[in-house]
Amino acid sequence: DQQVKQNSPSLSVQEGRISILNCDYTNSMFDYFLWYKKYPAEGPTFLISISSIKDKNEDGRFTVFLNKSAKHLSLHIVPSQPGDSAVYFCAASGDGGSSNTGKLIFGQGTTLQVKP
Amino acid sequence: GAVVSQHPSWVICKSGTSVKIECRSLDFQATTMFWYRQFPKQSLMLMATSNEGSKATYEQGVEKDKFLINHASLTLSTLTVTSAHPEDSSFYICSAARGAVNYGYTFGSGTRLTVV
């Protein structure tokens, strides 16, 4: 049961254009969402996060949008740069149980390629 | 910033032997550490959650007797893969949390385990 899904395994955009990475989730109890960037053979690095009480969070070139009714979030990168080429994972937290373990559930990842 | 050191970065071992992977938080005390496994082109799958001084909580399907987790201090957690087999070959990543998820999780750089 894949609770967090990234249905696009790959995305290719031209340098300077916008990159939009999508993520869907099924568990309505998730209350915190994060995006991570990962290079091969390295651990993920945190990019940006959003709480379920918000619908948008912006940090420089990165903006995350959350649509709770659709159980969908997206990461916008603008303008895209060749150095942004990596695998991007969305993750969700908050199982709504009696004790929030804080564990993250990851999507499958989307490989972004930004062409010069 | 928060730094998590994970060692070794890669290891090759013979089938039937045991391998220990260390995860250290260098500049903060980690109340909780998580261990993930990633197979090629797949998502990061949570294996277990460990809190200092208590037994780890394993995810469904993860053998606790095979993947021994010790969280002896607030800065060190170890994962020991016992009697490793080729199917255990994977990329193992730890992450450390200072508190609730919105304080951020920091990931180690990962360990590539190859069992021959």
Side-chain angles (χ1 to χ4, degrees):
Chain A
D1 178 28
Q2 189 74 27
Q3 296 187 69
V4 179
K5 298 180 182 180
Q6 294 175 256
N7 293 315
S8 297
S10 63
L11 174 68
S12 181
V13 299
Q14 206 66 34
E15 180 179 7
R17 306 294 291 270
I18 185 172
S19 296
I20 300 176
L21 299 107
N22 293 303
C23 180
D24 297 292
Y25 61 97
T26 57
N27 190 339
S28 58
M29 301 306 289
F30 287 144
D31 58 8
Y32 200 75
F33 304 89
L34 309 91
W35 283 94
Y36 285 88
K37 177 181 180 181
K38 185 181 181 300
Y39 294 111
E42 293 184 11
T45 54
F46 171 76
L47 274 177
I48 192 168
S49 62
I50 188 167
S51 165
S52 60
I53 62 174
K54 294 185 176 182
D55 55 17
K56 177 182 175 181
N57 188 26
E58 188 174 353
D59 184 3
R61 297 186 296 116
F62 302 92
T63 303
V64 56
F65 295 92
L66 175 62
N67 183 333
K68 288 190 294 293
S69 60
K71 295 190 180 67
H72 176 85
L73 64 154
S74 60
L75 173 68
H76 293 211
I77 306 173
V78 58
S80 301
Q81 300 172 354
D84 295 329
S85 298
V87 179
Y88 289 78
F89 288 94
C90 68
S93 178
D95 55 14
S98 58
S99 60
N100 183 359
T101 61
K103 62 183 183 182
L104 298 179
I105 307 298
F106 283 84
Q108 308 96 311
T110 297
T111 300
L112 172 66
Q113 182 185 27
V114 180
K115 298 179 179 179
Chain B
V3 178
V4 173
S5 174
Q6 185 174 343
H7 290 283
S9 56
W10 61 271
V11 58
I12 301 174
C13 70
K14 290 185 177 181
S15 186
T17 61
S18 296
V19 174
K20 180 185 282 188
I21 302 170
E22 287 191 353
C23 181
R24 293 180 184 271
S25 56
L26 298 184
D27 50 2
F28 67 99
Q29 291 186 327
T31 54
T32 306
M33 287 190 175
F34 303 89
W35 287 94
Y36 293 84
R37 179 169 54 183
Q38 184 188 25
F39 292 106
K41 298 187 178 180
Q42 293 189 25
S43 180
L44 285 78
M45 299 301 296
L46 180 66
M47 298 175 66
T49 303
S50 74
N51 293 292
E52 184 263 342
S54 61
K55 290 184 178 180
T57 302
Y58 290 82
E59 295 299 301
Q60 191 173 10
V62 178
E63 299 175 59
K64 62 179 181 180
D65 294 329
K66 180 170 185 61
F67 298 100
L68 301 178
I69 292 173
N70 184 289
H71 194 159
S73 74
L74 285 171
T75 59
L76 174 64
S77 177
T78 61
L79 167 67
T80 302
V81 183
T82 62
S83 187
H85 291 284
E87 57 265 30
D88 297 323
S89 299
S90 186
F91 191 61
Y92 293 85
I93 310 171
C94 68
S95 75
R98 283 166 285 177
V101 65
N102 55 352
Y103 282 101
Y105 292 168
T106 304
F107 283 80
S109 53
T111 298
R112 170 70 62 192
L113 170 63
T114 302
V115 184
V116 298

